[in-house]
C-alpha cells in the first residue's frame, strides 16, 4: 500500500529512536579477485570500465530530473581494478579521543592557522565569515557549484544539494510518505528550495559536526519547520541541537533508518550517518561529512592520527558496497595528490581521468563506494606496502601494526596539508 515501509522493516513514529545497537560489519578491506555480489539489481552501462560512472545529461539546479533518472555506472557497487564552543572536558570524550585545542598546521579556512580556527569555531566571527561565504557562493554559483545527480532506490531518493563553493548537503526522502531528512544544511535557502521542489516534509536534520559550513542552516530551517529535530553529538556545539545521539544509536524518519557513528578526529564530536538501504533493495549509504572524501579525509583539527585512523576503520567496516556521500567536492584535488604518492596505481589513474572529465563539465563526483575507495584513497591504504614504501616508512621492531598505520596516516596528512597550502 502507498506510504507503507518495505518489509521487513516496520514503520516507526516520526523521529522515534531505536535503541543503540551495532549491525554486522563486513571485512575491513576487499579481497583481491573476490566476487562482488550485490543484493540489488545491477545498474546499467555495464560495459563501462570499472571505476567509471556514466554521467547523465547536465541539468540546471531547480529543474526536475527526467523520470527514472538514476545513479549510473556499474562501478558504484564494484571496486575499480584489483584489489563555536567551550573546550570539551576530557572526562566527557569517547575512549581514545585526544582533544587538541590548537594546531600548528595550516587549515582550509586560510591563512592564519591556529588563531583563525579558534575564532571560526568558537566565536561569532566564524558565523559572520560563514555568512560572507554563503553570500559570495550564491553570487558566483547561482545554480550551485556542481550539477548533481539524484540517486534512487525503490522508496528512497537521495538528492545532493551543492552549496557554498564546494560543500554538499543531502536531502534524503522516503518517497512513500514524502518525509525527509537533510544532512548538513549549509545554505538554508538552497535546502528549502529543494524541499519545496520535491514537495516533502522535513522531519530531521542530521549534523555531522559543528563547523558553520555544515551547520549554518540549522536555525533557519528549524524556524521554518517547527517540528523538525536536529540530531548530532553533544560533544560538538551544534547549533539548535535538540536530540543528542550516542554511538550506534538509530533514528527513524518515515520508513528510513539512520545509524549514527561516532567518528572523531576532524572535530571531537564528529558523527557520520548510515542509511540502511536493505529494506529498499539498495546498499548502505554513508553520509561522511568531513570524515571521509573521495580519495581524501578531513583535517585533524581536534584529534590525533590514532583517533582518525580508528574512525576511518569504523567507516571501512561498513562494507565494500556502501555508497560514500562526502561533505565536499574535493575529488579532483584529492585524486591528484594521491597520484603523487602512488605513481603506478591503475585504479587511481582511471579514477583521476574520470574525475577530471566530470569536473571539467562541472558534474558532481559523488558517490563512490568504500570498496572503490580502498583501491586509491591513501587514507584508507595505510596498511598497503606500496604506500608505506612511497612514503619511506618502515615498521619499527615491536611497533604495533595500528601504531605504524597511524604513523603512515600522519605522514599522508602532513603531505596533504602542505600540498593544499601550495
Amino acid at each position: 500500500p502507498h506510504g507503507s515501509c518495505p518489509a521487513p522493516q516496520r514503520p516507526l513514529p516520526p523521529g522515534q529512536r531505536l535503541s543503540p545497537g551495532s549491525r554486522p560489519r563486513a571485512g575491513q578491506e576487499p579481497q583481491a579477485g573476490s566476487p562482488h555480489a550485490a543484493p540489488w539489481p545491477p545498474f546499467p552501462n555495464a560495459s563501462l570500465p570499472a571505476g567509471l560512472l556514466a554521467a547523465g545529461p547536465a541539468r540546471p539546479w531547480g529543474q526536475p530530473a527526467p523520470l527514472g533518472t538514476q545513479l549510473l555506472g556499474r562501478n558504484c557497487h564494484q571496486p575499480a581494478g584489483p584489489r563555536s564552543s567551550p573546550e570539551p572536558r576530557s572526562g566527557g570524550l569517547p575512549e581514545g579521543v585526544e582533544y587538541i585545542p590548537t594546531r600548528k598546521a595550516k587549515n582550509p579556512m586560510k591563512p592564519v592557522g591556529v588563531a583563525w580556527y579558534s575564532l571560526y569555531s568558537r566565536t561569532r566571527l566564524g558565523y559572520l565569515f560563514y555568512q560572507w561565504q554563503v553570500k559570495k557562493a550564491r553570487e558566483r554559483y547561482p545554480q550551485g557549484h556542481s550539477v548533481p545527480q539524484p540517486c534512487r532506490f525503490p522508496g528512497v531518493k537521495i538528492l545532493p544539494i551543492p552549496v557554498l563553493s564546494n560543500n554538499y548537503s543531502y536531502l534524503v526522502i522516503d518517497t512513500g510518505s514524502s518525509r525527509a531528512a537533510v544532512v548538513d544544511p549549509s545554505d538554508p535557502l538552497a535546502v528549502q528550495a529543494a524541499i519545496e521542489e520535491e514537495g516533502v516534509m522535513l522531519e530531521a536534520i542530521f549534523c555531522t559536526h559543528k563547523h558553520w559550513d555544515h551547520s549554518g542552516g540549522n536555525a533557519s530551517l528549524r524556524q521554518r519547520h517547527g517540528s523538525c529535530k536536529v540530531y548530532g553529538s553533544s560533544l560538538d556545539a551544534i547549533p539548535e541541537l535538540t536530540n543528542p545521539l550516542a554511538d550506534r544509536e538509530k533514528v527513524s524518519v518515515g520508513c528510513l533508518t539512520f545509524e549514527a557513528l561516532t567518528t572523531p578526529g576532524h572535530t571531537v564530536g564528529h558523527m557520520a550517518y548510515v542509511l540502511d538501504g536493505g529494506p529498499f533493495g539498495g546498499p548502505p549509504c554513508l553520509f561522511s561529512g568531513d570524515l571521509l572524501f573521495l580519495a581524501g579525509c578531513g583535517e585533524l583539527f581536534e584529534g590525533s592520527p590514532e583517533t582518525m585512523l580508528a574512525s576511518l576503520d569504523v567507516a571501512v567496516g561498513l562494507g565494500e558496497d556502501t555508497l560514500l556521500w562526502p561533505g565536499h567536492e574535493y575529488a579532483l584535488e584529492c585524486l591528484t595528490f594521491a597520484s603523487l604518492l602512488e605513481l603506478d596505481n591503475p585504479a587511481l589513474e582511471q579514477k583521476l581521468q574520470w574525475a577530471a572529465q566530470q569536473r571539467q563539465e562541472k558534474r558532481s563526483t559523488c558517490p563512490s563506494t568504500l570498496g572503490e575507495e580502498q583501491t586509491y584513497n591513501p587514507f584508507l591504504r595505510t596498511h598497503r606496502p606500496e604506500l608505506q614504501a612511497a612514503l619511506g616508512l618502515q615498521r619499527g621492531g615491536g611497533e604495533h601494526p595500528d601504531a605504524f598505520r597511524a604513523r603512515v596516516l600522519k605522514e599522508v596528512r602532513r603531505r596533504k596539508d602542505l600540498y593544499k597550502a601550495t
Side-chain angles (χ1 to χ4, degrees):
H2 177 74
S4 62
C5 299
Q9 180 174 300
R10 297 179 59 190
L12 298 174
Q16 179 176 326
R17 301 187 213 173
L18 305 179
S19 58
S22 58
R23 69 177 73 190
R25 304 295 178 189
Q28 288 198 1
E29 59 185 89
Q31 299 296 318
S34 64
H36 194 76
W40 57 93
F43 287 105
N45 297 337
S47 61
L48 288 176
L52 296 189
L53 288 171
R59 176 173 67 94
W61 176 250
Q63 293 185 9
L67 184 63
T69 301
Q70 293 189 24
L71 175 70
L72 302 181
R74 184 165 171 252
N75 74 301
C76 215
H77 308 290
Q78 179 173 347
R83 280 286 347 142
S84 63
S85 64
E87 295 182 7
R89 294 170 294 181
S90 59
L93 305 185
E95 182 179 357
V97 174
E98 175 186 354
Y99 181 74
I100 303 176
T102 58
R103 294 277 298 159
K104 293 182 179 180
K106 292 188 178 182
N107 67 76
M109 288 155 298
K110 308 183 213 180
V112 293
V114 175
W116 175 236
Y117 180 71
S118 295
L119 290 171
Y120 175 82
S121 61
R122 299 186 187 131
T123 72
R124 181 167 175 76
L125 182 61
Y127 181 68
L128 295 176
F129 176 72
Y130 151 78
Q131 289 184 311
W132 177 82
Q133 284 182 306
V134 171
K135 179 177 181 293
K136 291 297 182 182
R138 288 172 181 169
E139 294 172 353
R140 184 175 181 183
Y141 307 108
Q143 296 181 338
H145 59 73
S146 301
V147 178
Q149 190 169 357
C151 178
R152 288 180 175 87
F153 306 107
V156 182
K157 181 177 181 179
I158 299 173
L159 179 63
I161 306 173
V163 289
L164 301 183
S165 61
N166 53 40
N167 283 73
Y168 285 113
S169 301
Y170 295 98
L171 188 64
V172 189
I173 303 169
D174 169 14
T175 57
S177 66
S178 293
R179 297 172 179 172
V182 66
V183 181
D184 287 352
S186 303
D187 183 343
L189 290 185
V191 172
Q192 180 60 29
I195 291 171
E196 294 177 1
E197 181 175 318
E198 297 295 328
V200 297
M201 177 186 301
L202 184 65
E203 290 195 348
I205 293 171
F206 291 102
C207 203
T208 60
H209 61 294
K210 64 191 175 187
H211 291 161
W212 290 112
D213 62 321
H214 294 258
S215 65
N218 291 3
S220 178
L221 288 172
R222 272 214 76 215
Q223 186 176 9
R224 180 181 283 266
H225 304 273
S227 62
C228 179
K229 304 291 193 301
V230 178
Y231 297 90
S233 171
S234 61
L235 296 177
D236 263 19
I238 293 175
E240 300 292 317
L241 181 66
T242 62
N243 293 65
L245 293 176
D247 185 39
R248 309 287 179 175
E249 193 166 359
K250 297 181 181 180
V251 179
S252 68
V253 178
C255 295
L256 310 177
T257 300
F258 294 84
E259 182 179 11
L261 301 179
T262 300
T263 52
H266 182 67
T267 68
V268 74
H270 192 286
M271 275 188 158
Y273 300 94
V274 182
L275 171 66
D276 182 5
F280 307 95
C285 293
L286 173 63
F287 299 94
S288 61
D290 283 0
L291 166 70
L292 187 61
F293 312 125
L294 195 152
C297 87
E299 294 206 47
L300 279 62
F301 288 127
E302 299 178 8
S304 65
E306 291 78 10
T307 298
M308 180 61 88
L309 178 65
S311 295
L312 292 172
D313 283 348
V314 167
V316 169
L318 295 171
E320 300 173 35
D321 298 337
T322 303
L323 297 184
L324 173 65
W325 300 93
H328 289 269
E329 180 56 71
Y330 286 160
L332 190 55
E333 175 188 313
C334 289
L335 286 163
T336 302
F337 166 75
S339 69
L340 301 177
L341 298 180
E342 291 194 65
L343 302 179
D344 186 20
N345 183 333
L348 175 56
E349 294 173 6
Q350 189 177 52
K351 192 70 177 183
L352 177 57
Q353 182 181 12
W354 170 82
Q357 181 64 33
Q358 290 289 100
R359 296 313 298 156
Q360 184 177 356
E361 300 173 2
K362 300 300 181 184
R363 299 185 189 276
S364 171
T365 60
C366 60
S368 65
T369 69
L370 293 183
E372 192 180 5
E373 286 297 307
Q374 291 172 79
T375 67
Y376 53 66
N377 188 327
F379 296 97
L380 300 184
R381 293 171 61 79
T382 54
H383 62 294
R384 301 292 298 188
E386 54 267 44
L387 178 62
Q388 296 165 2
L391 297 172
L393 297 178
Q394 293 183 339
R395 182 180 166 192
E399 185 177 19
H400 191 279
D402 284 348
F404 178 48
R405 290 177 59 218
R407 191 153 59 88
V408 174
L409 179 67
K410 181 179 180 180
E411 177 62 16
V412 176
R413 183 68 260 175
R414 185 189 73 83
R415 295 191 183 197
K416 179 63 174 65
D417 292 343
L418 292 173
Y419 174 80
K420 194 167 188 176
T422 54

